[in-house]
Structure formats: structure tokens, C-alpha cells
Amino acid sequence: MGKPKALILPPKSRLDEVCSDTCKSLINEHFDPLWNETGVDYTEEELAALIGSAEIILTSWGSPAITEAMLEQAPKLRVIGHAAGTVKGRIPPTAFSKQVRVFSAAPRIAHSVGEYCLTVLMSSLRYMPTFDKQVKAGQWRVSSLKGRELAGQTIGIVSASSTARAFLKLLAPFHVNVLVYDPYLKDEAAAQLQVTKASLEEVMRCSIISIHAPKLPATYKMVTKEMIASIPDGAILINSSRADVLDEEALIEELQKGRFFAALDVFTKEPLPEDSPLTKLDNVLLSSHVAGATVQGHLALMEGVVEDILKGFKQEKTSMEVTQAMWENMA
């Protein structure tokens, strides 16, 4: 039996970012690959012309979306693997009814996001942005600020998503207490994660809060103005998920009071406008939607997907497969 034919959509410039040499060897060993030699991303028309004989399609950022019409033209298609995050908007849900298995590298990106959350949390607890600015201005311990330790703190988590779970693993050595708001989190799963289920209101009153909710109609501005006003003085708020999950205008109003600190990686308008009030605040640490972007993380994306696809072929348990049951609550 011949190797399955695989379309590798990313051009070399992007492939070298998301596909390691080990991954390329795996693809050549197990698949009959058609590499994108055009130097640019395929157009929808170009992909449609190639898809007819494909059994496996590997995509990433910049790759054209798979349409329902394309699925109709691909009777041999068995697997779509996305070496990036969400597959919503990139693959039609009808793929499941056609018995096409879908894989996403989102779980690997989640680890990178978890590291971002730990990084900004530790920096914020020790007031590193403030101390850095003071020393560079020639000021030496002029502030009465004193850093805080993470060990033993109570942390509120909004949504037990994959990024939240990655963050929780990194928090484990610090023996923190964790409250989680997630209406879909079962008691058994909460016990396995060693967290306490709580209401959203309870989570938003914690001294450390990390937002991990996906962007869905049900999560739009679910963190209300009143909840933001209830954030305790001196608290730390981290948002590495989506800005639409909370009322951004209300958040800015509260941050302008200087009551608490925020580390924000996502915004309702991106790039963040230069005149945004957030850029004027000393109690806000800003980054440009890069929580999931690391050299090692990106290079592992396609390799993780390919390894998981091979596990699926052997009827072994997969970790990156997206099922139809997962679809509705995914970002």
C-alpha cells in the first residue's frame, strides 16, 4: 500500500517557522508530500485545483481556508491538520460528516500562552516595569512599593480552556489556591485540576485574575462593568484570550483610577491605536497579541500535528484532534 498523498500548504518562508527538520523527515517518511514551491501562499483557486487527490492537508497561518466546495472535490481526503490555532473559519464543520479528521496545534500554543501568563504575573508581583522605569530615570528605591511572592496566593481563572490548563501546570510548584469559573467544567475535572469551581463574580474578586475564555456569542462582554469595578485594589488582571470577553471601556476607566495592575495582550482594536488611553497608563503592561508566539513553540506546531495524525492512524489516543463535540465551544 502506497503512502497517503499529502498537500503541504505553507510556502518555505512560513514552513521553516512552523515545521522542524524532524517534522519534514516525518512527512517524507510517512506521506507522499506535495510541497508548496511557489514561494507564496496558495490562492483558493490554486488549492481547489490541487485538492482532488489529497488524502492529507497540512495548513498554517496564511493558508487558504478549506471550503465546502473544496470538500466536495476531495473524495479521498481523510485528514486536515492545522499547524496554528483555531480551525473555526478555516474548515467547515461539514468536514466531520464527511469523516474527515481534524487536527489543530492549539494545545501546543496553549503552553506558550501559559508561559506568557506566568511571566507577566511574576513581573507584576515584583513591580518590575515600575522599578525598571525608576532606575533608568536615576531614581533608587524612591518608591514604597515592595514586591509580593506568588506562593500561597489565590488566583481566579475565567474558563478552564487549554491555555488555562497550561497555566495551571506552571503554577503547581507555587502551591496557589485556584478558583475557576467555567459553566462546562465538571466536578470530576475540577478535582483532577485541583481547582475550586466558583461563580464569575467570585473569580473577579480575587487578587490575581487571568482571563482564558474563548470568543463566542455567549462570552461577549460577560465580564461586566460591575464585575470590573469589583476587582480589589492592588489586584493583577491578565488577559491573554480575547478583549471582547470583558467590557474594555469599563476596564480602561478602572485602570485610569490606578487601583490595580493589568497585563494585556489582546484588544478590541488591533493593532492598538497609538492614542489609546492604555498607552498612557503606568499600571498597565502591554504586548501586541504575542502570548502564543515563541521560537520553540512555533517550530513545534506542525511536528505536533503530524505526530498526532500518525497516532490517529494507529488508533492510539490523540491530543490535538478536534472533534465535532468540541466544535461549539471552541474559539
Side-chain angles (χ1 to χ4, degrees), residues 281-303:
L281 299 177
D282 291 334
N283 57 325
V284 182
L285 181 62
L286 303 175
S287 55
S288 52
H289 207 143
V290 294
T294 67
V295 173
Q296 295 87 346
H298 278 186
L299 198 58
L301 296 181
M302 191 170 286
E303 184 176 340

PDB file of all heavy atoms in Angstrom, residues 281-303:
ATOM      1  N   LEU A 281      -0.873  54.689  30.612  1.00  0.00           N
ATOM      2  CA  LEU A 281      -1.019  54.240  31.996  1.00  0.00           C
ATOM      3  C   LEU A 281       0.209  53.464  32.474  1.00  0.00           C
ATOM      4  O   LEU A 281       0.673  52.538  31.794  1.00  0.00           O
ATOM      5  CB  LEU A 281      -2.263  53.359  32.125  1.00  0.00           C
ATOM      6  CG  LEU A 281      -3.594  54.034  31.761  1.00  0.00           C
ATOM      7  CD1 LEU A 281      -4.738  53.036  31.867  1.00  0.00           C
ATOM      8  CD2 LEU A 281      -3.851  55.241  32.658  1.00  0.00           C
ATOM      9  N   ASP A 282       0.707  53.825  33.643  1.00  0.00           N
ATOM     10  CA  ASP A 282       1.865  53.145  34.218  1.00  0.00           C
ATOM     11  C   ASP A 282       1.500  51.821  34.880  1.00  0.00           C
ATOM     12  O   ASP A 282       2.385  50.999  35.145  1.00  0.00           O
ATOM     13  CB  ASP A 282       2.545  54.047  35.263  1.00  0.00           C
ATOM     14  CG  ASP A 282       3.219  55.250  34.633  1.00  0.00           C
ATOM     15  OD1 ASP A 282       3.599  55.169  33.445  1.00  0.00           O
ATOM     16  OD2 ASP A 282       3.362  56.275  35.326  1.00  0.00           O
ATOM     17  N   ASN A 283       0.230  51.621  35.154  1.00  0.00           N
ATOM     18  CA  ASN A 283      -0.193  50.383  35.810  1.00  0.00           C
ATOM     19  C   ASN A 283      -0.709  49.346  34.807  1.00  0.00           C
ATOM     20  O   ASN A 283      -1.479  48.446  35.155  1.00  0.00           O
ATOM     21  CB  ASN A 283      -1.272  50.668  36.857  1.00  0.00           C
ATOM     22  CG  ASN A 283      -2.487  51.377  36.278  1.00  0.00           C
ATOM     23  OD1 ASN A 283      -2.367  52.197  35.375  1.00  0.00           O
ATOM     24  ND2 ASN A 283      -3.670  51.063  36.801  1.00  0.00           N
ATOM     25  N   VAL A 284      -0.258  49.467  33.556  1.00  0.00           N
ATOM     26  CA  VAL A 284      -0.652  48.517  32.512  1.00  0.00           C
ATOM     27  C   VAL A 284       0.596  48.056  31.767  1.00  0.00           C
ATOM     28  O   VAL A 284       1.421  48.873  31.352  1.00  0.00           O
ATOM     29  CB  VAL A 284      -1.645  49.149  31.521  1.00  0.00           C
ATOM     30  CG1 VAL A 284      -2.075  48.120  30.473  1.00  0.00           C
ATOM     31  CG2 VAL A 284      -2.861  49.689  32.244  1.00  0.00           C
ATOM     32  N   LEU A 285       0.738  46.747  31.624  1.00  0.00           N
ATOM     33  CA  LEU A 285       1.804  46.143  30.832  1.00  0.00           C
ATOM     34  C   LEU A 285       1.186  45.666  29.525  1.00  0.00           C
ATOM     35  O   LEU A 285       0.290  44.818  29.537  1.00  0.00           O
ATOM     36  CB  LEU A 285       2.429  44.975  31.595  1.00  0.00           C
ATOM     37  CG  LEU A 285       3.595  44.233  30.930  1.00  0.00           C
ATOM     38  CD1 LEU A 285       4.778  45.169  30.719  1.00  0.00           C
ATOM     39  CD2 LEU A 285       4.006  43.034  31.788  1.00  0.00           C
ATOM     40  N   LEU A 286       1.632  46.226  28.405  1.00  0.00           N
ATOM     41  CA  LEU A 286       1.026  45.952  27.106  1.00  0.00           C
ATOM     42  C   LEU A 286       1.941  45.093  26.241  1.00  0.00           C
ATOM     43  O   LEU A 286       3.164  45.265  26.243  1.00  0.00           O
ATOM     44  CB  LEU A 286       0.735  47.262  26.367  1.00  0.00           C
ATOM     45  CG  LEU A 286      -0.152  48.285  27.086  1.00  0.00           C
ATOM     46  CD1 LEU A 286      -0.240  49.562  26.263  1.00  0.00           C
ATOM     47  CD2 LEU A 286      -1.540  47.714  27.331  1.00  0.00           C
ATOM     48  N   SER A 287       1.340  44.183  25.486  1.00  0.00           N
ATOM     49  CA  SER A 287       2.069  43.435  24.450  1.00  0.00           C
ATOM     50  C   SER A 287       1.146  43.259  23.258  1.00  0.00           C
ATOM     51  O   SER A 287      -0.063  43.427  23.357  1.00  0.00           O
ATOM     52  CB  SER A 287       2.574  42.090  24.978  1.00  0.00           C
ATOM     53  OG  SER A 287       1.518  41.322  25.525  1.00  0.00           O
ATOM     54  N   SER A 288       1.714  42.939  22.123  1.00  0.00           N
ATOM     55  CA  SER A 288       0.988  43.015  20.845  1.00  0.00           C
ATOM     56  C   SER A 288       0.480  41.659  20.358  1.00  0.00           C
ATOM     57  O   SER A 288       0.858  41.180  19.301  1.00  0.00           O
ATOM     58  CB  SER A 288       1.890  43.646  19.788  1.00  0.00           C
ATOM     59  OG  SER A 288       3.145  42.969  19.734  1.00  0.00           O
ATOM     60  N   HIS A 289      -0.405  41.028  21.155  1.00  0.00           N
ATOM     61  CA  HIS A 289      -1.014  39.740  20.806  1.00  0.00           C
ATOM     62  C   HIS A 289       0.067  38.701  20.482  1.00  0.00           C
ATOM     63  O   HIS A 289       0.023  38.026  19.450  1.00  0.00           O
ATOM     64  CB  HIS A 289      -1.974  39.893  19.628  1.00  0.00           C
ATOM     65  CG  HIS A 289      -3.057  38.854  19.627  1.00  0.00           C
ATOM     66  ND1 HIS A 289      -4.341  39.113  19.233  1.00  0.00           N
ATOM     67  CD2 HIS A 289      -3.056  37.533  19.983  1.00  0.00           C
ATOM     68  CE1 HIS A 289      -5.084  38.014  19.314  1.00  0.00           C
ATOM     69  NE2 HIS A 289      -4.307  37.037  19.783  1.00  0.00           N
ATOM     70  N   VAL A 290       1.035  38.600  21.386  1.00  0.00           N
ATOM     71  CA  VAL A 290       2.181  37.709  21.171  1.00  0.00           C
ATOM     72  C   VAL A 290       2.291  36.629  22.240  1.00  0.00           C
ATOM     73  O   VAL A 290       3.306  35.936  22.315  1.00  0.00           O
ATOM     74  CB  VAL A 290       3.498  38.517  21.115  1.00  0.00           C
ATOM     75  CG1 VAL A 290       3.532  39.427  19.906  1.00  0.00           C
ATOM     76  CG2 VAL A 290       3.703  39.323  22.403  1.00  0.00           C
ATOM     77  N   ALA A 291       1.272  36.449  23.064  1.00  0.00           N
ATOM     78  CA  ALA A 291       1.364  35.485  24.160  1.00  0.00           C
ATOM     79  C   ALA A 291       1.694  34.082  23.666  1.00  0.00           C
ATOM     80  O   ALA A 291       2.400  33.326  24.330  1.00  0.00           O
ATOM     81  CB  ALA A 291       0.057  35.465  24.959  1.00  0.00           C
ATOM     82  N   GLY A 292       1.188  33.721  22.495  1.00  0.00           N
ATOM     83  CA  GLY A 292       1.425  32.382  21.973  1.00  0.00           C
ATOM     84  C   GLY A 292       2.594  32.284  21.017  1.00  0.00           C
ATOM     85  O   GLY A 292       2.840  31.217  20.443  1.00  0.00           O
ATOM     86  N   ALA A 293       3.339  33.371  20.842  1.00  0.00           N
ATOM     87  CA  ALA A 293       4.403  33.416  19.842  1.00  0.00           C
ATOM     88  C   ALA A 293       5.773  33.237  20.479  1.00  0.00           C
ATOM     89  O   ALA A 293       6.282  34.151  21.121  1.00  0.00           O
ATOM     90  CB  ALA A 293       4.346  34.735  19.074  1.00  0.00           C
ATOM     91  N   THR A 294       6.345  32.044  20.330  1.00  0.00           N
ATOM     92  CA  THR A 294       7.716  31.793  20.744  1.00  0.00           C
ATOM     93  C   THR A 294       8.423  31.025  19.630  1.00  0.00           C
ATOM     94  O   THR A 294       7.773  30.347  18.815  1.00  0.00           O
ATOM     95  CB  THR A 294       7.796  30.961  22.038  1.00  0.00           C
ATOM     96  OG1 THR A 294       7.303  29.634  21.779  1.00  0.00           O
ATOM     97  CG2 THR A 294       6.982  31.591  23.158  1.00  0.00           C
ATOM     98  N   VAL A 295       9.735  31.121  19.599  1.00  0.00           N
ATOM     99  CA  VAL A 295      10.507  30.414  18.576  1.00  0.00           C
ATOM    100  C   VAL A 295      10.271  28.917  18.669  1.00  0.00           C
ATOM    101  O   VAL A 295       9.931  28.242  17.689  1.00  0.00           O
ATOM    102  CB  VAL A 295      12.015  30.735  18.717  1.00  0.00           C
ATOM    103  CG1 VAL A 295      12.839  29.872  17.763  1.00  0.00           C
ATOM    104  CG2 VAL A 295      12.282  32.214  18.462  1.00  0.00           C
ATOM    105  N   GLN A 296      10.447  28.376  19.873  1.00  0.00           N
ATOM    106  CA  GLN A 296      10.309  26.935  20.053  1.00  0.00           C
ATOM    107  C   GLN A 296       8.868  26.480  19.830  1.00  0.00           C
ATOM    108  O   GLN A 296       8.627  25.433  19.226  1.00  0.00           O
ATOM    109  CB  GLN A 296      10.768  26.529  21.461  1.00  0.00           C
ATOM    110  CG  GLN A 296      12.236  26.756  21.741  1.00  0.00           C
ATOM    111  CD  GLN A 296      12.532  28.162  22.256  1.00  0.00           C
ATOM    112  OE1 GLN A 296      11.686  29.067  22.170  1.00  0.00           O
ATOM    113  NE2 GLN A 296      13.730  28.347  22.790  1.00  0.00           N
ATOM    114  N   GLY A 297       7.933  27.285  20.324  1.00  0.00           N
ATOM    115  CA  GLY A 297       6.532  26.912  20.183  1.00  0.00           C
ATOM    116  C   GLY A 297       6.099  26.836  18.742  1.00  0.00           C
ATOM    117  O   GLY A 297       5.450  25.867  18.325  1.00  0.00           O
ATOM    118  N   HIS A 298       6.439  27.841  17.953  1.00  0.00           N
ATOM    119  CA  HIS A 298       6.051  27.831  16.544  1.00  0.00           C
ATOM    120  C   HIS A 298       6.710  26.682  15.791  1.00  0.00           C
ATOM    121  O   HIS A 298       6.087  26.025  14.957  1.00  0.00           O
ATOM    122  CB  HIS A 298       6.405  29.171  15.894  1.00  0.00           C
ATOM    123  CG  HIS A 298       5.383  30.234  16.158  1.00  0.00           C
ATOM    124  ND1 HIS A 298       5.414  31.476  15.579  1.00  0.00           N
ATOM    125  CD2 HIS A 298       4.271  30.234  16.945  1.00  0.00           C
ATOM    126  CE1 HIS A 298       4.392  32.198  15.992  1.00  0.00           C
ATOM    127  NE2 HIS A 298       3.690  31.466  16.832  1.00  0.00           N
ATOM    128  N   LEU A 299       7.983  26.432  16.092  1.00  0.00           N
ATOM    129  CA  LEU A 299       8.697  25.389  15.356  1.00  0.00           C
ATOM    130  C   LEU A 299       8.141  23.998  15.651  1.00  0.00           C
ATOM    131  O   LEU A 299       8.320  23.073  14.861  1.00  0.00           O
ATOM    132  CB  LEU A 299      10.190  25.442  15.706  1.00  0.00           C
ATOM    133  CG  LEU A 299      11.147  24.746  14.741  1.00  0.00           C
ATOM    134  CD1 LEU A 299      11.023  25.323  13.332  1.00  0.00           C
ATOM    135  CD2 LEU A 299      12.587  24.871  15.233  1.00  0.00           C
ATOM    136  N   ALA A 300       7.446  23.861  16.773  1.00  0.00           N
ATOM    137  CA  ALA A 300       6.893  22.560  17.161  1.00  0.00           C
ATOM    138  C   ALA A 300       5.484  22.322  16.620  1.00  0.00           C
ATOM    139  O   ALA A 300       4.945  21.226  16.794  1.00  0.00           O
ATOM    140  CB  ALA A 300       6.878  22.451  18.686  1.00  0.00           C
ATOM    141  N   LEU A 301       4.886  23.313  15.960  1.00  0.00           N
ATOM    142  CA  LEU A 301       3.462  23.217  15.627  1.00  0.00           C
ATOM    143  C   LEU A 301       3.145  22.090  14.651  1.00  0.00           C
ATOM    144  O   LEU A 301       2.309  21.223  14.926  1.00  0.00           O
ATOM    145  CB  LEU A 301       2.960  24.558  15.074  1.00  0.00           C
ATOM    146  CG  LEU A 301       3.009  25.734  16.048  1.00  0.00           C
ATOM    147  CD1 LEU A 301       2.452  26.995  15.389  1.00  0.00           C
ATOM    148  CD2 LEU A 301       2.228  25.423  17.324  1.00  0.00           C
ATOM    149  N   MET A 302       3.790  22.094  13.487  1.00  0.00           N
ATOM    150  CA  MET A 302       3.438  21.074  12.502  1.00  0.00           C
ATOM    151  C   MET A 302       3.920  19.697  12.939  1.00  0.00           C
ATOM    152  O   MET A 302       3.247  18.688  12.687  1.00  0.00           O
ATOM    153  CB  MET A 302       3.998  21.433  11.123  1.00  0.00           C
ATOM    154  CG  MET A 302       3.440  20.560  10.007  1.00  0.00           C
ATOM    155  SD  MET A 302       3.842  21.131   8.333  1.00  0.00           S
ATOM    156  CE  MET A 302       2.757  22.560   8.173  1.00  0.00           C
ATOM    157  N   GLU A 303       5.048  19.641  13.626  1.00  0.00           N
ATOM    158  CA  GLU A 303       5.547  18.356  14.117  1.00  0.00           C
ATOM    159  C   GLU A 303       4.543  17.718  15.069  1.00  0.00           C
ATOM    160  O   GLU A 303       4.264  16.513  14.989  1.00  0.00           O
ATOM    161  CB  GLU A 303       6.885  18.543  14.817  1.00  0.00           C
ATOM    162  CG  GLU A 303       7.515  17.242  15.282  1.00  0.00           C
ATOM    163  CD  GLU A 303       8.892  17.459  15.890  1.00  0.00           C
ATOM    164  OE1 GLU A 303       9.517  18.502  15.632  1.00  0.00           O
ATOM    165  OE2 GLU A 303       9.347  16.559  16.631  1.00  0.00           O
TER     166      GLU A 303
END
